[in-house]
Structures are given as C-alpha cells and as structure tokens.
Amino acid sequence: MSVVWYTLWFVIAVGLLVTVHEFGHFWVARRLGFKVLRFSVGFGQPLISWRLGADRTEIAIAPIPLGGYVKLLDEREGPVPPEDLSRSFTRKPPFQRIVVLLAGPGFNILFAILVLAGMMCVNGITQVLPVVGDVTAGSIAGQAGLHSDDTIVAINGAPVSEQRDVVFGLLDAMSSRGDADLTVRGSNGQFRRVDLDVRNSATRRHLTAPSELFTGLGFQLWEPSIPAQFGQVLADGPAARAGLQAGDRVLSVDGHPVKDWDDLVAQITPHPGGTVSLVYSRDGMNHTVQVEVGSKEVDGKYVGRIEAEGMADVPYPPSMVHHLTVSPLTAVGRAAEEAWDMTALQGRLFWRMMLGQVSLKNLNGPVSIAQYAGQSASEGVSSFLGFLVLISLSLGFLNLLPIPILDGGQIVFQLIEWVKGSPMSERAQAFGQQVGIALLILLMGVALFNDIARQFS
C-alpha cells in the first residue's frame, strides 16, 4: 500500500478522534456556563467559520486536519469585560473546570464504547476458543507441561473465554511477576494446572515486546492452517520473475513436500541468494520452476524471501467459534466492560513501562499508527472501526496522564488550587509545563525511534 493511502487514513482517524475529544470540552463547557470563544476543527487560518448562539461562539473549519481546539474565555490571556468575568475559566469553581477537562478524554472513551456497541449490535460477538496449537519442545511452555489441543480456561484464577483474553492475561502476568498459573482442559476432558513461571526480569521484559509473547513462551494459539497458495505475488520479486502467479499452490521445494504456508516459509528462509526448485499446481496441472531466492536482513542475519504473500481470511472451523447475538442494551454493557478492561490494562502496562518492566518497543509513533490505519481501512469497515476504538481509548488514556501539558496535568493543577484555596503560582505552573513538554518530547522520541527501527527491521 502507498504512503498516500497510509497518510489519508491516518489523517481521517486522528482528525476524527481529536475532534471528538475537543467537542467533549466544548459541549460540557457550554453546559456549565463557560464562555466559549472558538471551536476549531483543524488548525490554521479558518477556511470556513460561522457564529453560534447568544455568545457568538466562532465555529471554524481550518486547513490542517490533524485535530482541533477549543478556546475558552480566560483573563490570563487578555482583558475580559466585567460582565463576562463570572464566565471566565479562572473564575469558575475548580470542580467545574475539572469536569470540563475530564470531558475531552471522557468523550473519547464514550465514542469507543458507542462504536464498539454498534459493532456488537450489527455483527454480534464472535469468540475464538483459546485452544493451544504448536508447543515448542524444551520451551517455557513445553517444560511446564502445556500440550497441543489443551484449552485454556483460566489465567491466575481469572476465567478466559476467547483467544484475546489469553493474550491480555499473559501480557499482564508477564509484565508483573512473570507467573501465569493456567487452568487448562486437556483433549481427554480432564482439568489440570500449568504454571508458566519466568523469573528472569530481562526475559520477562523481552516477552512484552511486540510479537515476542508467544514465541518467547514457546507456544501458539491454534489457527487454521494456511495453504501454501499464493494470494499475491509482488511485482518484480523473485516469484514474479520466475513466472509464479496468484493462485498457484506450491507442492514441494527441492523435492521436499510442503504442508502449508508456514512450511513453505520455513523451507525458503534458509536459502538467501540461492536457487530452489519449486513444484506448483496451476489449473490442475503441475509445473516445475527454478526460483532465485532474494535476501533480506532480519535481526542481524540474512533470510530467504521470494516476495509473495499467502491467502488471507482462512476461516476457523465452527467448533472453534462461539457467536453471540446481543441486544442493544447488552451490547452497551459489554462494550463498556471491554473499554474498562482495555483502559485498565493500558494503565498497568504504561506504569510498568515507566518502571522498566515492559519493553519500550511498545510505544508507537505516527508512522506505525499510519500503517495500522491504512491496513485496517484496506481490510474493511469493521477492521477500521476496531482500529478507531483502540486509538480512541489510547487517546483518552494518554490525556488523563498527570503531565502538565495534558488534560490530566491541568486537572492536577485544579485539584491543588481546590485544596489550598488559591491558584498555583505562575512560576510553578510554567515549570510544570516545561517538565510536561520535556516528557512528551522524550516519549515521542522513543516512539519515533521505534518507528524507524521497524522500517529497517
């Protein structure tokens, strides 16, 4: 997919979610009697603007679509007419200011709940059972006694009903004490306990890095086998130059039978820069072709690549899937519960990241977010809406952090004023803002470094 495609959907996602955030501030401020001077969708000189209500609030649409802002009447920014002083931000009671500041993150979380509830109403709830697939011999899971076809029913006493619960539960456990006490049901129907105990702190931190959790523990959740059939052959890659096409099914590599897509990758990977003989099937006939394997550096070593992708969306068998149809009221309740669980887990992981227990590689910058936006949009409406739910919850959580430049930091300032009965000094607030900016620059720097590292990995 092109950079333009990624950028387009990144702008749509960020613009929408930041506008929702600012609308929360705007709507609540007006309900509480604050005087709102401007609500801008986008940044820069307004392209279109009009006045709203008795206060003549300016509603503006600006050319830079990455968000927006709300400007409230504030005597710290200039003289205020005496008749409007009671409606200035600084003259309102601290608890009302706190409610206005909470409204932005609150609307992001509410937006995520409503979108998630709508998806549940339309599509129902589909749960993929947490059945164990391959277990690597000698791994942490293998030594603990986990077996293929085991079904995980609880982690550290908390019931799990689908694969996502296992991912969240293991990530939570490994980022904490490194002890995941699994209750599993074997293929014989008997229940037993399997203890995944990772005592080394460096190993635990490595497990929290993207895509490392199951690889490091030594097992995978069961997925349907992807056939060794090309879904897409990239133009001018080794496979395309050899005449291979989308729909071709590989039968063997150098005389070795190929079971599925993972087996094909495993047989191609050891031959960077070499030549392999592929037998493939097309239109019911078998053909043999010599393919000059490409080479790509991954984690410091070169691996073979033929620049082709497998088939997508291989369905799970009905026995692995549990589908629920829910009413609108039930959907809202389930969506609120999921939003709370994800936000609480996000909070725990962020705190542990600050303590050095979670890998900093989990911080995503604009490049990664743009790629996720573009990929989810290309997969359909449901996928993109799911992406919006996750990003909206993240935006709500991020703005609640007690960093002075964010809503959470401003809430701390208002709480201090409420307790002590007078505002913090301008010097203290300015120092807090400087610290907040420095922290955000640091976090953004790490996230951008991760983006760059992923592009070259």
Side-chain angles (χ1 to χ4, degrees):
M1 283 175 280
S2 68
V3 173
V4 174
W5 178 263
Y6 289 143
T7 303
L8 170 65
W9 289 102
F10 173 76
V11 168
I12 291 173
V14 173
L16 172 63
L17 296 180
V18 177
T19 299
V20 167
H21 179 96
E22 296 301 334
F23 180 76
H25 293 311
F26 167 77
W27 190 83
V28 172
R30 291 193 53 171
R31 294 304 179 275
L32 292 178
F34 290 74
K35 186 166 185 179
V36 182
L37 302 180
R38 175 184 288 175
F39 174 33
S40 177
V41 177
F43 296 106
Q45 190 69 26
L47 299 173
I48 305 172
S49 66
W50 63 93
R51 300 286 175 173
L52 178 69
D55 288 337
R56 307 298 294 161
T57 300
E58 182 184 13
I59 309 298
I61 298 178
I64 304 175
L66 294 176
Y69 64 92
V70 173
K71 182 177 177 60
L72 302 178
L73 184 67
D74 193 326
E75 58 191 305
R76 295 171 298 183
E77 298 181 2
V80 174
E83 64 272 19
D84 284 336
L85 274 176
S86 63
R87 302 185 64 197
S88 171
F89 182 82
T90 53
R91 296 297 181 99
K92 286 289 186 179
F95 80 89
Q96 289 191 358
R97 292 180 235 158
I98 290 171
V99 172
V100 170
L101 291 166
L102 283 171
F107 266 54
N108 280 129
I109 295 172
L110 179 62
F111 173 84
I113 292 172
L114 292 177
V115 171
L116 191 55
M119 293 171 65
M120 289 179 179
C121 283
V122 173
N123 301 324
I125 300 173
T126 300
Q127 299 176 330
V128 180
L129 298 182
V131 177
V132 176
D134 292 334
V135 178
T136 304
S139 65
I140 295 169
Q143 292 179 350
L146 193 65
H147 301 150
S148 295
D149 295 330
D150 283 343
T151 301
I152 302 172
V153 297
I155 299 177
N156 289 335
V160 299
S161 56
E162 58 179 318
Q163 291 189 352
R164 187 182 60 176
D165 295 340
V166 174
V167 176
F168 289 168
L170 288 177
L171 189 57
D172 196 14
M174 291 301 127
S175 65
S176 180
R177 299 186 306 273
D179 184 26
D181 184 9
L182 310 184
T183 302
V184 303
R185 184 178 64 248
S187 56
N188 60 0
Q190 298 296 314
F191 290 88
R192 68 182 195 282
R193 293 175 60 183
V194 175
D195 188 20
L196 304 181
D197 189 4
V198 182
R199 299 183 182 275
N200 184 278
S201 59
T203 302
R204 293 200 301 269
R205 186 166 55 251
H206 177 73
L207 289 174
T208 64
S211 304
E212 294 295 338
L213 180 62
F214 290 99
T215 301
L217 289 174
F219 80 99
Q220 299 293 330
L221 293 173
W222 190 90
E223 294 182 346
S225 178
I226 300 174
Q229 186 172 9
F230 298 128
Q232 181 181 4
V233 176
L234 304 187
D236 202 35
R241 289 195 296 269
L244 294 166
Q245 301 175 7
D248 291 347
R249 184 171 188 137
V250 179
L251 304 177
S252 69
V253 176
D254 287 338
H256 302 290
V258 174
K259 295 182 298 183
D260 54 27
W261 184 261
D262 289 340
D263 191 22
L264 173 61
V265 172
Q267 294 198 44
I268 294 294
T269 298
H271 300 286
T275 301
V276 296
S277 176
L278 263 63
V279 177
Y280 66 95
S281 174
R282 179 190 297 172
D283 298 330
M285 298 183 64
N286 294 349
H287 307 271
T288 302
V289 67
Q290 302 297 310
V291 180
E292 295 181 2
V293 180
S295 180
K296 183 176 182 179
E297 186 176 2
V298 176
D299 295 332
K301 61 181 180 180
Y302 288 93
V303 298
R305 290 288 187 268
I306 61 172
E307 304 299 334
E309 298 176 1
M311 306 293 289
D313 299 327
V314 178
Y316 284 87
S319 61
M320 282 284 296
V321 178
H322 186 206
H323 186 79
L324 302 173
T325 301
V326 295
S327 67
L329 186 61
T330 301
V332 171
R334 291 288 293 264
E337 183 180 357
E338 286 197 20
W340 167 254
D341 289 342
M342 286 189 282
T343 303
L345 177 60
Q346 193 173 198
R348 293 195 297 273
L349 293 178
F350 186 85
W351 174 246
R352 292 166 189 169
M353 187 183 296
M354 296 300 100
L355 296 177
Q357 297 172 230
V358 172
S359 173
L360 289 173
K361 293 180 180 179
N362 288 286
L363 287 176
N364 291 317
V367 176
S368 294
I369 295 173
Q371 289 177 334
Y372 296 147
Q375 289 168 0
S376 64
S378 68
E379 292 170 4
V381 174
S382 292
S383 180
F384 185 67
L385 290 177
F387 166 79
L388 287 181
V389 167
L390 293 176
I391 298 299
S392 192
L393 289 175
S394 296
L395 185 60
F397 168 77
L398 178 66
N399 273 278
L400 289 174
L401 293 176
I403 298 175
I405 198 172
L406 301 176
D407 293 329
Q410 295 301 312
I411 290 170
V412 172
F413 287 168
Q414 307 310 317
L415 287 171
I416 292 173
E417 179 178 339
W418 197 357
V419 171
K420 68 190 290 280
S422 61
M424 293 176 61
S425 67
E426 291 186 7
R427 182 177 179 182
Q429 292 191 47
F431 176 75
Q433 297 282 6
Q434 292 170 354
V435 171
I437 291 172
L439 285 173
L440 280 185
I441 290 175
L442 177 62
L443 290 174
M444 290 172 63
V446 173
L448 187 58
F449 173 82
N450 288 342
D451 278 352
I452 295 171
R454 289 188 188 103
Q455 298 308 306
F456 288 94
S457 66

